Amino acid sequence: MRTAGPAQPTEASQPVRVKPPPAAAPTARTCAVIGCKRPHRSQGYCATHYQKRRLMMATGRLHAAWVEDAAPHSIPEVILPRGRRPKADAAPPAP
């Protein structure tokens, strides 16, 4: 036989607790170069592309699209030639 225990409060008498929405986690901004998945470090670029931008600025080859504080994935990748530049006074190679 069951004995009557303390009366349980009904759902209507309890305050309704609503869970607060989860706090929005700060999203890490990605690099401005299209296809780069690294987080941005400075001026919208990851460390690698920021150094590349500095190199292009120092040598006078900065691409017009590579601006400061660019939006993520908005800048095309620029592939720089490898090796030294040919000397201006050197004759072009014969075919």
Side-chain angles (χ1 to χ4, degrees):
M1 181 157 136
R2 246 174 152 184
T3 57
Q8 294 289 330
T10 61
E11 289 183 26
S13 65
Q14 288 185 354
V16 177
R17 293 186 182 171
V18 178
K19 289 184 180 180
T27 57
R29 209 171 128 189
T30 57
C31 181
V33 177
I34 297 171
C36 184
K37 297 177 183 175
R38 293 182 289 258
H40 94 101
R41 183 81 171 200
S42 180
Q43 297 182 4
Y45 301 95
C46 66
T48 304
H49 288 113
Y50 179 70
Q51 290 299 323
K52 187 174 192 176
R53 183 178 187 275
R54 289 186 63 214
L55 174 70
M56 289 191 297
M57 285 176 60
T59 58
R61 300 182 287 177
L62 183 61
H63 193 275
W66 284 55
V67 296
E68 292 182 9
D69 296 323
H73 301 292
S74 63
I75 307 291
E77 176 68 80
V78 175
I79 299 173
L80 299 175
R82 305 262 320 179
R84 296 182 180 202
R85 281 195 252 173
K87 293 182 180 178
D89 59 339

